[in-house]
Amino acid sequence: MTEQVDVVVLGLGVGGEEVAGRLAEEGLEVVGIEHGLVGGECPYWGCVPSKMMIRAANLLEEARRIDGMAGHADVTPDWAPVAERIREEATDDWNDQVAVDRFTGKGGRFVRGRGRLVGPGAVEVDGARYEARRAVVLATGTVPVIPPIAGLSETPYWTNRETIEAKTLPDSLLVLGGGAVGLELAQVYARFGVGVTVVEALDRLLPVEEPESSTLVQSALEADGIAVRTGRRATTVAHDGEMFTVTAGGELRAERLLVAVGRRADLGPLGVDSVGLEPGAPAVTVDERMRAGERLWAVGDLTGHGAFTHMAMYQAGIAVRDILGQDGPPADYRAVPRVTFTDPEIGSVGLTEAQARDAGLRVAVGLAQLPSSARGWIHKAGNDGIIKLIADAEREVLVGATSAGPVGGEVLSMLALAVQAEVTIGTLRHMIYAYPTFHRGIEDALRDLG
Ligand SMILES: Cc1cc2nc3c(=O)[nH]c(=O)nc-3n(C[C@H](O)[C@H](O)[C@H](O)COP(=O)(O)OP(=O)(O)OC[C@H]3O[C@@H](n4cnc5c(N)ncnc54)[C@H](O)[C@@H]3O)c2cc1C
């Protein structure tokens, strides 16, 4: 069977769902193909359930902080309600209804199956062939990287999916990888009483962030009882039916092993060679309008511009406009915000100090410690955090910033705006910051800029 349609969207995660729904609303004949759950990684195994777990774990920690602030803590962690709440809606039947509500209801057609490109504008799924008059949009996301560590592939290791689906807690958990996913889940499990060890091959946690953020997050995790092993590369993994043994400059043992060393686009099975793309490439290269080839667009994680839901949605908006032939600004990645939802939250935007120096800018740096701000002093327990500003001293604008603290991701918003809109340092210095807020720490960091 061959069918002509306007647009075929391959993968209905956050990015694909947005593109497919909006183009269908515009009256185009759209077929959306998804082999898993419509909505993708974020609502079922990513952002949403992990933040539900984090919320529960942070409530526990806040309750423990009552001691010395407002009474005496007596907290018994109970994992069951969290695990139950996360699982309650993610069934296939319920998800079919999601597809109807969010996509089919807008005029699109939903096909459940695993699709692959078979030439420019052509996609096959389960023997059916769809030919797109206007566009094929690739939005198939990424899969976890499983490193080639001897023995690992024969063991029952966890990825983020099993870690989020777990109905019972193990006694111990070893986390391979000190990035955002590994650290968020490590802290949740530790706060629910699991003995957690984090192993990171590089010399610091969150290696893409500022060194100050790495130090901050490491001491927060250690305060939660997590053993942090940086500069340790795992070389072998074994499982004896009950326990994992990981060799990483010494032997480490744990009941469960979470592999969280990154994610990669899995282009081979997508048939990208049929449209002249490299199946082994780490990402699909797109231009500033998300174009990847003839009648071909790509959005989301698989473009390699940052594995964030907000990036997938941003790129989806650009692709939709371009496919509809509408004008609008091209992709601009100067002020990409990112948040690691540990406690303290590590928010950042734009360039780090090292990236700004590598770019040849005349860099000025301003640093403020949250505990010594008025709000930090008032907040007391759990007040750790920093504000770090990276300025281009020549143009007198911020090119990057870090906001780490109890609500680091929220405080980040005005810094993201400042970087995006190139608000001058003079303007930032002479505006009014509400007292006593955490964002007032930005004023302290501006003073430190010199
Ligand atoms: C634990 C964890 C926590 C996260 N937390 C955050 C967070 O707090 N904030 C944030 O911004 N981001 C977070 N992310 C990242 C976020 O989930 C992703 O950036 C987002 O889901 C990317 O959307 P996407 O549309 O590119 O891909 P996905 O959501 O991965 O969707 C791709 C879809 O394509 C489908 N697919 C793949 N191949 C095919 C095929 N051949 N045929 C049909 N369908 C196919 C897949 O089944 C999937 O549903 C987190 C990720 C993880 C793993």
Side-chain angles (χ1 to χ4, degrees), residues 4 8 116-124 129-137 270-277 292-297:
Q4 308 274 329
V8 178
R116 68 192 310 270
L117 286 158
V118 287
V123 173
E124 268 182 17
R129 180 183 169 101
Y130 297 95
E131 290 179 355
R133 287 182 282 263
R134 283 217 204 176
V136 170
V137 182
L270 283 183
V272 294
D273 47 338
S274 71
V275 294
L277 300 182
E294 185 193 337
R295 270 178 291 162
L296 188 66
W297 280 255

PDB file of all heavy atoms in Angstrom, residues 4 8 116-124 129-137 270-277 292-297:
ATOM      1  N   GLN A   4      -0.218   8.910  -0.499  1.00  0.00           N
ATOM      2  CA  GLN A   4       0.369  10.261  -0.573  1.00  0.00           C
ATOM      3  C   GLN A   4      -0.245  11.117   0.540  1.00  0.00           C
ATOM      4  O   GLN A   4      -1.471  11.142   0.670  1.00  0.00           O
ATOM      5  CB  GLN A   4       0.006  10.926  -1.906  1.00  0.00           C
ATOM      6  CG  GLN A   4       0.300  10.108  -3.144  1.00  0.00           C
ATOM      7  CD  GLN A   4       1.728  10.298  -3.605  1.00  0.00           C
ATOM      8  OE1 GLN A   4       2.297  11.360  -3.425  1.00  0.00           O
ATOM      9  NE2 GLN A   4       2.296   9.256  -4.195  1.00  0.00           N
ATOM     10  N   VAL A   8       4.856  13.505   6.865  1.00  0.00           N
ATOM     11  CA  VAL A   8       5.005  12.331   7.730  1.00  0.00           C
ATOM     12  C   VAL A   8       5.941  12.725   8.874  1.00  0.00           C
ATOM     13  O   VAL A   8       7.026  13.259   8.633  1.00  0.00           O
ATOM     14  CB  VAL A   8       5.627  11.136   6.974  1.00  0.00           C
ATOM     15  CG1 VAL A   8       5.810   9.949   7.916  1.00  0.00           C
ATOM     16  CG2 VAL A   8       4.765  10.750   5.781  1.00  0.00           C
ATOM     17  N   ARG A 116      10.669   3.693   8.995  1.00  0.00           N
ATOM     18  CA  ARG A 116      12.036   3.975   8.505  1.00  0.00           C
ATOM     19  C   ARG A 116      11.964   4.674   7.157  1.00  0.00           C
ATOM     20  O   ARG A 116      11.026   4.473   6.380  1.00  0.00           O
ATOM     21  CB  ARG A 116      12.889   2.710   8.459  1.00  0.00           C
ATOM     22  CG  ARG A 116      12.497   1.668   7.449  1.00  0.00           C
ATOM     23  CD  ARG A 116      13.244   0.372   7.731  1.00  0.00           C
ATOM     24  NE  ARG A 116      14.673   0.552   7.891  1.00  0.00           N
ATOM     25  CZ  ARG A 116      15.569   0.490   6.915  1.00  0.00           C
ATOM     26  NH1 ARG A 116      15.162   0.273   5.675  1.00  0.00           N
ATOM     27  NH2 ARG A 116      16.845   0.634   7.159  1.00  0.00           N
ATOM     28  N   LEU A 117      12.947   5.528   6.933  1.00  0.00           N
ATOM     29  CA  LEU A 117      13.035   6.226   5.652  1.00  0.00           C
ATOM     30  C   LEU A 117      13.400   5.227   4.557  1.00  0.00           C
ATOM     31  O   LEU A 117      14.242   4.346   4.778  1.00  0.00           O
ATOM     32  CB  LEU A 117      14.129   7.297   5.721  1.00  0.00           C
ATOM     33  CG  LEU A 117      13.801   8.546   6.534  1.00  0.00           C
ATOM     34  CD1 LEU A 117      15.092   9.240   6.961  1.00  0.00           C
ATOM     35  CD2 LEU A 117      12.925   9.481   5.720  1.00  0.00           C
ATOM     36  N   VAL A 118      12.772   5.379   3.365  1.00  0.00           N
ATOM     37  CA  VAL A 118      13.147   4.506   2.246  1.00  0.00           C
ATOM     38  C   VAL A 118      13.473   5.335   1.006  1.00  0.00           C
ATOM     39  O   VAL A 118      13.428   4.839  -0.105  1.00  0.00           O
ATOM     40  CB  VAL A 118      12.031   3.465   1.943  1.00  0.00           C
ATOM     41  CG1 VAL A 118      11.996   2.386   3.019  1.00  0.00           C
ATOM     42  CG2 VAL A 118      10.670   4.130   1.799  1.00  0.00           C
ATOM     43  N   GLY A 119      13.786   6.599   1.193  1.00  0.00           N
ATOM     44  CA  GLY A 119      14.139   7.490   0.088  1.00  0.00           C
ATOM     45  C   GLY A 119      13.615   8.882   0.414  1.00  0.00           C
ATOM     46  O   GLY A 119      12.887   9.059   1.390  1.00  0.00           O
ATOM     47  N   PRO A 120      13.988   9.880  -0.412  1.00  0.00           N
ATOM     48  CA  PRO A 120      13.528  11.249  -0.127  1.00  0.00           C
ATOM     49  C   PRO A 120      12.004  11.317  -0.074  1.00  0.00           C
ATOM     50  O   PRO A 120      11.323  10.869  -0.990  1.00  0.00           O
ATOM     51  CB  PRO A 120      14.084  12.063  -1.308  1.00  0.00           C
ATOM     52  CG  PRO A 120      15.240  11.253  -1.809  1.00  0.00           C
ATOM     53  CD  PRO A 120      14.881   9.809  -1.578  1.00  0.00           C
ATOM     54  N   GLY A 121      11.462  11.806   1.033  1.00  0.00           N
ATOM     55  CA  GLY A 121      10.016  11.974   1.171  1.00  0.00           C
ATOM     56  C   GLY A 121       9.255  10.679   1.408  1.00  0.00           C
ATOM     57  O   GLY A 121       8.024  10.696   1.431  1.00  0.00           O
ATOM     58  N   ALA A 122       9.935   9.564   1.589  1.00  0.00           N
ATOM     59  CA  ALA A 122       9.221   8.277   1.698  1.00  0.00           C
ATOM     60  C   ALA A 122       9.560   7.544   2.997  1.00  0.00           C
ATOM     61  O   ALA A 122      10.723   7.441   3.380  1.00  0.00           O
ATOM     62  CB  ALA A 122       9.572   7.405   0.506  1.00  0.00           C
ATOM     63  N   VAL A 123       8.500   7.049   3.647  1.00  0.00           N
ATOM     64  CA  VAL A 123       8.664   6.336   4.920  1.00  0.00           C
ATOM     65  C   VAL A 123       7.857   5.048   4.856  1.00  0.00           C
ATOM     66  O   VAL A 123       6.724   5.043   4.362  1.00  0.00           O
ATOM     67  CB  VAL A 123       8.133   7.203   6.094  1.00  0.00           C
ATOM     68  CG1 VAL A 123       8.129   6.418   7.402  1.00  0.00           C
ATOM     69  CG2 VAL A 123       8.971   8.469   6.250  1.00  0.00           C
ATOM     70  N   GLU A 124       8.434   3.963   5.359  1.00  0.00           N
ATOM     71  CA  GLU A 124       7.693   2.701   5.432  1.00  0.00           C
ATOM     72  C   GLU A 124       7.481   2.309   6.878  1.00  0.00           C
ATOM     73  O   GLU A 124       8.359   2.502   7.720  1.00  0.00           O
ATOM     74  CB  GLU A 124       8.487   1.583   4.736  1.00  0.00           C
ATOM     75  CG  GLU A 124       8.096   1.442   3.276  1.00  0.00           C
ATOM     76  CD  GLU A 124       8.821   0.306   2.576  1.00  0.00           C
ATOM     77  OE1 GLU A 124       9.379  -0.588   3.263  1.00  0.00           O
ATOM     78  OE2 GLU A 124       8.831   0.348   1.341  1.00  0.00           O
ATOM     79  N   ARG A 129       3.559   2.208   2.830  1.00  0.00           N
ATOM     80  CA  ARG A 129       4.510   3.244   2.399  1.00  0.00           C
ATOM     81  C   ARG A 129       3.768   4.578   2.336  1.00  0.00           C
ATOM     82  O   ARG A 129       2.664   4.659   1.761  1.00  0.00           O
ATOM     83  CB  ARG A 129       5.049   2.862   1.017  1.00  0.00           C
ATOM     84  CG  ARG A 129       6.043   3.850   0.443  1.00  0.00           C
ATOM     85  CD  ARG A 129       6.437   3.380  -0.970  1.00  0.00           C
ATOM     86  NE  ARG A 129       7.189   4.398  -1.677  1.00  0.00           N
ATOM     87  CZ  ARG A 129       8.510   4.408  -1.817  1.00  0.00           C
ATOM     88  NH1 ARG A 129       9.242   3.447  -1.296  1.00  0.00           N
ATOM     89  NH2 ARG A 129       9.110   5.375  -2.487  1.00  0.00           N
ATOM     90  N   TYR A 130       4.359   5.583   2.971  1.00  0.00           N
ATOM     91  CA  TYR A 130       3.777   6.933   2.940  1.00  0.00           C
ATOM     92  C   TYR A 130       4.732   7.842   2.185  1.00  0.00           C
ATOM     93  O   TYR A 130       5.926   7.880   2.497  1.00  0.00           O
ATOM     94  CB  TYR A 130       3.552   7.469   4.364  1.00  0.00           C
ATOM     95  CG  TYR A 130       2.554   6.641   5.137  1.00  0.00           C
ATOM     96  CD1 TYR A 130       2.985   5.614   5.979  1.00  0.00           C
ATOM     97  CD2 TYR A 130       1.187   6.852   5.000  1.00  0.00           C
ATOM     98  CE1 TYR A 130       2.073   4.828   6.671  1.00  0.00           C
ATOM     99  CE2 TYR A 130       0.271   6.070   5.690  1.00  0.00           C
ATOM    100  CZ  TYR A 130       0.723   5.062   6.516  1.00  0.00           C
ATOM    101  OH  TYR A 130      -0.181   4.284   7.191  1.00  0.00           O
ATOM    102  N   GLU A 131       4.189   8.573   1.209  1.00  0.00           N
ATOM    103  CA  GLU A 131       5.025   9.514   0.455  1.00  0.00           C
ATOM    104  C   GLU A 131       4.574  10.924   0.786  1.00  0.00           C
ATOM    105  O   GLU A 131       3.390  11.261   0.641  1.00  0.00           O
ATOM    106  CB  GLU A 131       4.914   9.227  -1.047  1.00  0.00           C
ATOM    107  CG  GLU A 131       5.604   7.898  -1.375  1.00  0.00           C
ATOM    108  CD  GLU A 131       5.532   7.511  -2.847  1.00  0.00           C
ATOM    109  OE1 GLU A 131       4.856   8.232  -3.633  1.00  0.00           O
ATOM    110  OE2 GLU A 131       6.148   6.494  -3.194  1.00  0.00           O
ATOM    111  N   ALA A 132       5.536  11.716   1.265  1.00  0.00           N
ATOM    112  CA  ALA A 132       5.195  13.062   1.747  1.00  0.00           C
ATOM    113  C   ALA A 132       5.390  14.076   0.626  1.00  0.00           C
ATOM    114  O   ALA A 132       6.477  14.172   0.063  1.00  0.00           O
ATOM    115  CB  ALA A 132       6.086  13.422   2.931  1.00  0.00           C
ATOM    116  N   ARG A 133       4.308  14.818   0.336  1.00  0.00           N
ATOM    117  CA  ARG A 133       4.414  15.848  -0.698  1.00  0.00           C
ATOM    118  C   ARG A 133       5.291  16.999  -0.215  1.00  0.00           C
ATOM    119  O   ARG A 133       6.053  17.564  -0.960  1.00  0.00           O
ATOM    120  CB  ARG A 133       3.015  16.391  -1.036  1.00  0.00           C
ATOM    121  CG  ARG A 133       2.164  15.406  -1.832  1.00  0.00           C
ATOM    122  CD  ARG A 133       0.822  16.013  -2.172  1.00  0.00           C
ATOM    123  NE  ARG A 133      -0.094  15.989  -1.056  1.00  0.00           N
ATOM    124  CZ  ARG A 133      -1.025  15.040  -0.871  1.00  0.00           C
ATOM    125  NH1 ARG A 133      -1.185  14.070  -1.736  1.00  0.00           N
ATOM    126  NH2 ARG A 133      -1.811  15.081   0.195  1.00  0.00           N
ATOM    127  N   ARG A 134       5.174  17.349   1.104  1.00  0.00           N
ATOM    128  CA  ARG A 134       5.915  18.515   1.605  1.00  0.00           C
ATOM    129  C   ARG A 134       7.116  18.169   2.470  1.00  0.00           C
ATOM    130  O   ARG A 134       8.175  18.752   2.320  1.00  0.00           O
ATOM    131  CB  ARG A 134       4.981  19.359   2.470  1.00  0.00           C
ATOM    132  CG  ARG A 134       4.033  20.182   1.697  1.00  0.00           C
ATOM    133  CD  ARG A 134       3.869  21.499   2.415  1.00  0.00           C
ATOM    134  NE  ARG A 134       2.594  22.079   2.062  1.00  0.00           N
ATOM    135  CZ  ARG A 134       2.127  23.184   2.575  1.00  0.00           C
ATOM    136  NH1 ARG A 134       2.806  23.813   3.514  1.00  0.00           N
ATOM    137  NH2 ARG A 134       0.968  23.669   2.209  1.00  0.00           N
ATOM    138  N   ALA A 135       6.898  17.260   3.453  1.00  0.00           N
ATOM    139  CA  ALA A 135       7.970  17.097   4.441  1.00  0.00           C
ATOM    140  C   ALA A 135       7.912  15.761   5.149  1.00  0.00           C
ATOM    141  O   ALA A 135       6.834  15.260   5.456  1.00  0.00           O
ATOM    142  CB  ALA A 135       7.860  18.207   5.494  1.00  0.00           C
ATOM    143  N   VAL A 136       9.092  15.221   5.413  1.00  0.00           N
ATOM    144  CA  VAL A 136       9.237  14.180   6.439  1.00  0.00           C
ATOM    145  C   VAL A 136       9.980  14.844   7.589  1.00  0.00           C
ATOM    146  O   VAL A 136      10.988  15.537   7.371  1.00  0.00           O
ATOM    147  CB  VAL A 136      10.045  12.976   5.915  1.00  0.00           C
ATOM    148  CG1 VAL A 136      10.385  12.023   7.062  1.00  0.00           C
ATOM    149  CG2 VAL A 136       9.268  12.249   4.828  1.00  0.00           C
ATOM    150  N   VAL A 137       9.454  14.678   8.792  1.00  0.00           N
ATOM    151  CA  VAL A 137      10.119  15.267   9.962  1.00  0.00           C
ATOM    152  C   VAL A 137      10.621  14.139  10.845  1.00  0.00           C
ATOM    153  O   VAL A 137       9.832  13.307  11.318  1.00  0.00           O
ATOM    154  CB  VAL A 137       9.156  16.177  10.759  1.00  0.00           C
ATOM    155  CG1 VAL A 137       9.889  16.818  11.934  1.00  0.00           C
ATOM    156  CG2 VAL A 137       8.550  17.242   9.851  1.00  0.00           C
ATOM    157  N   LEU A 270      16.909   3.846  11.241  1.00  0.00           N
ATOM    158  CA  LEU A 270      15.982   4.829  10.648  1.00  0.00           C
ATOM    159  C   LEU A 270      16.076   4.883   9.122  1.00  0.00           C
ATOM    160  O   LEU A 270      15.321   5.611   8.484  1.00  0.00           O
ATOM    161  CB  LEU A 270      16.270   6.231  11.176  1.00  0.00           C
ATOM    162  CG  LEU A 270      15.795   6.576  12.576  1.00  0.00           C
ATOM    163  CD1 LEU A 270      16.109   8.025  12.887  1.00  0.00           C
ATOM    164  CD2 LEU A 270      14.300   6.321  12.685  1.00  0.00           C
ATOM    165  N   GLY A 271      17.036   4.153   8.552  1.00  0.00           N
ATOM    166  CA  GLY A 271      17.185   4.145   7.090  1.00  0.00           C
ATOM    167  C   GLY A 271      17.691   5.469   6.540  1.00  0.00           C
ATOM    168  O   GLY A 271      17.394   5.825   5.394  1.00  0.00           O
ATOM    169  N   VAL A 272      18.489   6.191   7.327  1.00  0.00           N
ATOM    170  CA  VAL A 272      18.926   7.520   6.866  1.00  0.00           C
ATOM    171  C   VAL A 272      19.855   7.449   5.652  1.00  0.00           C
ATOM    172  O   VAL A 272      19.986   8.420   4.909  1.00  0.00           O
ATOM    173  CB  VAL A 272      19.608   8.344   7.999  1.00  0.00           C
ATOM    174  CG1 VAL A 272      18.632   8.701   9.105  1.00  0.00           C
ATOM    175  CG2 VAL A 272      20.827   7.616   8.548  1.00  0.00           C
ATOM    176  N   ASP A 273      20.486   6.272   5.445  1.00  0.00           N
ATOM    177  CA  ASP A 273      21.354   6.148   4.267  1.00  0.00           C
ATOM    178  C   ASP A 273      20.544   6.313   2.977  1.00  0.00           C
ATOM    179  O   ASP A 273      21.070   6.763   1.961  1.00  0.00           O
ATOM    180  CB  ASP A 273      22.112   4.815   4.270  1.00  0.00           C
ATOM    181  CG  ASP A 273      21.200   3.636   4.585  1.00  0.00           C
ATOM    182  OD1 ASP A 273      20.127   3.855   5.201  1.00  0.00           O
ATOM    183  OD2 ASP A 273      21.553   2.504   4.208  1.00  0.00           O
ATOM    184  N   SER A 274      19.232   6.013   3.028  1.00  0.00           N
ATOM    185  CA  SER A 274      18.397   6.133   1.816  1.00  0.00           C
ATOM    186  C   SER A 274      18.189   7.592   1.409  1.00  0.00           C
ATOM    187  O   SER A 274      17.703   7.873   0.319  1.00  0.00           O
ATOM    188  CB  SER A 274      17.046   5.457   2.036  1.00  0.00           C
ATOM    189  OG  SER A 274      16.267   6.222   2.943  1.00  0.00           O
ATOM    190  N   VAL A 275      18.537   8.534   2.311  1.00  0.00           N
ATOM    191  CA  VAL A 275      18.428   9.961   1.947  1.00  0.00           C
ATOM    192  C   VAL A 275      19.802  10.629   1.999  1.00  0.00           C
ATOM    193  O   VAL A 275      19.918  11.854   2.102  1.00  0.00           O
ATOM    194  CB  VAL A 275      17.421  10.715   2.862  1.00  0.00           C
ATOM    195  CG1 VAL A 275      16.017  10.202   2.643  1.00  0.00           C
ATOM    196  CG2 VAL A 275      17.820  10.615   4.323  1.00  0.00           C
ATOM    197  N   GLY A 276      20.829   9.806   1.969  1.00  0.00           N
ATOM    198  CA  GLY A 276      22.194  10.333   1.866  1.00  0.00           C
ATOM    199  C   GLY A 276      22.808  10.777   3.180  1.00  0.00           C
ATOM    200  O   GLY A 276      23.847  11.436   3.194  1.00  0.00           O
ATOM    201  N   LEU A 277      22.200  10.418   4.327  1.00  0.00           N
ATOM    202  CA  LEU A 277      22.806  10.778   5.615  1.00  0.00           C
ATOM    203  C   LEU A 277      23.626   9.596   6.134  1.00  0.00           C
ATOM    204  O   LEU A 277      23.398   8.446   5.765  1.00  0.00           O
ATOM    205  CB  LEU A 277      21.734  11.164   6.637  1.00  0.00           C
ATOM    206  CG  LEU A 277      20.837  12.356   6.297  1.00  0.00           C
ATOM    207  CD1 LEU A 277      19.868  12.638   7.441  1.00  0.00           C
ATOM    208  CD2 LEU A 277      21.663  13.603   5.986  1.00  0.00           C
ATOM    209  N   ALA A 292      17.188  19.131   7.037  1.00  0.00           N
ATOM    210  CA  ALA A 292      18.246  18.118   7.064  1.00  0.00           C
ATOM    211  C   ALA A 292      18.499  17.523   5.691  1.00  0.00           C
ATOM    212  O   ALA A 292      19.396  16.695   5.519  1.00  0.00           O
ATOM    213  CB  ALA A 292      17.868  17.008   8.040  1.00  0.00           C
ATOM    214  N   GLY A 293      17.703  17.907   4.685  1.00  0.00           N
ATOM    215  CA  GLY A 293      17.871  17.359   3.338  1.00  0.00           C
ATOM    216  C   GLY A 293      16.638  17.687   2.506  1.00  0.00           C
ATOM    217  O   GLY A 293      15.806  18.510   2.902  1.00  0.00           O
ATOM    218  N   GLU A 294      16.524  16.983   1.370  1.00  0.00           N
ATOM    219  CA  GLU A 294      15.391  17.235   0.469  1.00  0.00           C
ATOM    220  C   GLU A 294      14.080  16.807   1.141  1.00  0.00           C
ATOM    221  O   GLU A 294      13.927  15.644   1.537  1.00  0.00           O
ATOM    222  CB  GLU A 294      15.607  16.423  -0.825  1.00  0.00           C
ATOM    223  CG  GLU A 294      14.560  16.692  -1.873  1.00  0.00           C
ATOM    224  CD  GLU A 294      14.617  15.643  -2.996  1.00  0.00           C
ATOM    225  OE1 GLU A 294      15.679  15.010  -3.191  1.00  0.00           O
ATOM    226  OE2 GLU A 294      13.580  15.460  -3.651  1.00  0.00           O
ATOM    227  N   ARG A 295      13.141  17.714   1.279  1.00  0.00           N
ATOM    228  CA  ARG A 295      11.858  17.449   1.951  1.00  0.00           C
ATOM    229  C   ARG A 295      12.069  16.802   3.326  1.00  0.00           C
ATOM    230  O   ARG A 295      11.232  16.031   3.791  1.00  0.00           O
ATOM    231  CB  ARG A 295      10.968  16.544   1.092  1.00  0.00           C
ATOM    232  CG  ARG A 295      10.065  17.289   0.132  1.00  0.00           C
ATOM    233  CD  ARG A 295       9.257  16.324  -0.710  1.00  0.00           C
ATOM    234  NE  ARG A 295      10.102  15.596  -1.641  1.00  0.00           N
ATOM    235  CZ  ARG A 295       9.770  14.462  -2.254  1.00  0.00           C
ATOM    236  NH1 ARG A 295       8.594  13.910  -2.026  1.00  0.00           N
ATOM    237  NH2 ARG A 295      10.595  13.883  -3.092  1.00  0.00           N
ATOM    238  N   LEU A 296      13.201  17.102   3.969  1.00  0.00           N
ATOM    239  CA  LEU A 296      13.524  16.451   5.246  1.00  0.00           C
ATOM    240  C   LEU A 296      13.886  17.478   6.318  1.00  0.00           C
ATOM    241  O   LEU A 296      14.754  18.323   6.104  1.00  0.00           O
ATOM    242  CB  LEU A 296      14.710  15.491   5.036  1.00  0.00           C
ATOM    243  CG  LEU A 296      15.052  14.592   6.214  1.00  0.00           C
ATOM    244  CD1 LEU A 296      13.927  13.590   6.484  1.00  0.00           C
ATOM    245  CD2 LEU A 296      16.361  13.841   5.950  1.00  0.00           C
ATOM    246  N   TRP A 297      13.193  17.396   7.461  1.00  0.00           N
ATOM    247  CA  TRP A 297      13.488  18.247   8.613  1.00  0.00           C
ATOM    248  C   TRP A 297      13.772  17.321   9.803  1.00  0.00           C
ATOM    249  O   TRP A 297      13.352  16.157   9.799  1.00  0.00           O
ATOM    250  CB  TRP A 297      12.283  19.120   8.960  1.00  0.00           C
ATOM    251  CG  TRP A 297      12.089  20.340   8.116  1.00  0.00           C
ATOM    252  CD1 TRP A 297      12.352  21.633   8.476  1.00  0.00           C
ATOM    253  CD2 TRP A 297      11.556  20.421   6.784  1.00  0.00           C
ATOM    254  NE1 TRP A 297      12.027  22.495   7.446  1.00  0.00           N
ATOM    255  CE2 TRP A 297      11.535  21.784   6.397  1.00  0.00           C
ATOM    256  CE3 TRP A 297      11.107  19.477   5.862  1.00  0.00           C
ATOM    257  CZ2 TRP A 297      11.085  22.213   5.158  1.00  0.00           C
ATOM    258  CZ3 TRP A 297      10.657  19.892   4.620  1.00  0.00           C
ATOM    259  CH2 TRP A 297      10.649  21.250   4.270  1.00  0.00           C
TER     260      TRP A 297
END
